[in-house]
Amino acid sequence: MTILVTGSAGFIGYHLSKKLLEANHQVIGVDNINDYYSTELKYARLEQLGVARVDAAIDGLECSSERYPNFKFIKIELADSDAVKQLFKKYTFDKVCHLAAQAGVRYSIENPEVYIQSNLVAFGHLLEAVRHNHVDHLVYASSSSVYGESQEVPFSVTQRVDHPISLYAATKKANELMAHTYSHLYEITTTGLRFFTVYGPWGRPDMAYYLFTKAILSDKPINVFNNGEMKRDFTYIDDIVEGVQRIIEQPIVNRECYKIYNIGNSRSEKLADFIETLEKHLGKKAKKNLLPMQPGDVSQTFADVSALQSDYGYSPNTTIDEGLKQFANWYLKTKMG
């Protein structure tokens, strides 16, 4: 298949692109390579995919891979309607996996405009492109943040999610509603995936485990919110990518036009235990700065993944001990901080 992966220089997008390329699919990767976090890390991910440095690339310029003949990367801004139209005019896609977005709960409180452009306007352009170019299936990233402060655990896709507590969460809920409308009006097949705290090698440096690692190794204190009592469904990147690949490659269950799934580890781990495991694999204790909850944060996430298990055979099996061991080894080896 020919598959468009948006956000291919991002954490999940990079890993998914690599997995799909190794399965011999044709992958067109796009990204705007913004500076929300280190562009050096984004370039390094692309280099792992065989694409030479593209920091000087002109928007819209196609870059070929020296490692994967079936991969091309294009730097574009999805909030630019004309750029999206040109992309779909040049290529015919069997599937689209939309992972590009402005991430970060706390950042959305300080920088709302970028979320509106990247998460709402861009998604609208992509839906229009999928509609007019007869793409078989649109798979897109939602987020566990849509559950807000729900006390019903584990979180189920049957729960109402009408009360997001950050703009980031609101944009992800809006994406689900936009996809539902397009599925209903135009019979476009869409699948939304509510990701739960993804971690692992080549991860996002704004994520807590990455920040913790950098600080611990530098003998600096780490900020531990809610005194370490928060609980998260930490999900290792390989489990996430395996699940997304199944959805892309397998026939759509019951040919339903609109689906939403949780994709997580189906375990809720206390942040304090997560830190202790990270300390073990770094071989160094953390200096902890215990702080209260931050605006927009939630006290717990916990995914019910039974629907994804039933429909696609999804089976996450990476413990935080094994996952953090892999991350720590990668970080200590590459120093990508």
Side-chain angles (χ1 to χ4, degrees), residues 122-265:
F123 191 61
H125 292 162
L126 202 63
L127 283 169
E128 276 292 285
V130 167
R131 169 195 171 192
H132 290 293
N133 291 277
H134 310 293
V135 174
D136 182 58
H137 192 183
L138 168 64
V139 181
Y140 64 95
S142 185
S143 168
S144 62
S145 66
V146 300
Y147 290 104
E149 294 183 308
S150 174
Q151 299 302 307
E152 292 182 55
V153 290
F155 295 162
S156 168
V157 292
T158 61
Q159 292 174 224
R160 294 187 66 89
V161 286
D162 300 328
H163 302 285
I165 61 171
S166 70
L167 180 61
Y168 171 70
T171 63
K172 288 301 184 179
K173 174 59 178 174
N175 286 170
E176 295 178 1
L177 294 171
M178 293 163 74
H180 181 274
T181 301
Y182 271 70
S183 290
H184 173 73
L185 290 175
Y186 310 115
E187 297 187 348
I188 295 170
T189 302
T190 66
T191 300
L193 299 175
R194 293 174 178 170
F195 291 112
F196 281 71
T197 316
V198 189
Y199 73 100
W202 297 101
R204 277 174 36 207
D206 63 313
M207 295 290 284
Y209 71 96
Y210 210 118
L211 293 169
F212 291 164
T213 299
K214 186 175 181 180
I216 291 168
L217 294 176
S218 301
D219 287 318
K220 295 179 180 178
I222 63 173
N223 290 329
V224 183
F225 296 107
N226 199 31
N227 300 311
E229 293 299 312
M230 287 193 298
K231 300 181 78 173
R232 291 288 183 270
D233 194 322
F234 296 103
T235 315
Y236 189 62
I237 184 61
D238 288 0
D239 290 333
I240 288 285
V241 167
E242 191 264 345
V244 178
Q245 183 180 14
R246 283 174 179 263
I247 293 165
I248 290 172
E249 291 181 339
Q250 293 182 22
I252 298 155
V253 176
N254 299 324
R255 294 303 301 181
E256 290 184 71
C257 280
Y258 176 79
K259 291 289 286 187
I260 295 287
Y261 293 102
N262 287 332
I263 182 163
N265 198 38

Side-chain angles (χ1 to χ4, degrees), residues 4-8 28-34 59-60 73-88 93 96-102 114 116-130 138 140:
L4 171 64
V5 177
T6 73
S8 59
I28 307 300
V30 303
D31 203 294
N32 67 357
I33 317 183
N34 68 25
D59 286 2
F73 174 78
I74 308 170
K75 182 184 176 189
I76 69 168
E77 176 55 70
L78 295 174
D80 181 342
S81 177
D82 290 338
V84 175
K85 288 176 182 176
Q86 288 300 314
L87 176 67
F88 278 77
F93 301 111
V96 171
C97 187
H98 179 53
L99 301 173
Q102 178 58 59
V114 69
I116 292 165
Q117 291 298 317
S118 297
N119 297 6
L120 298 178
V121 174
F123 191 61
H125 292 162
L126 202 63
L127 283 169
E128 276 292 285
V130 167
L138 168 64
Y140 64 95

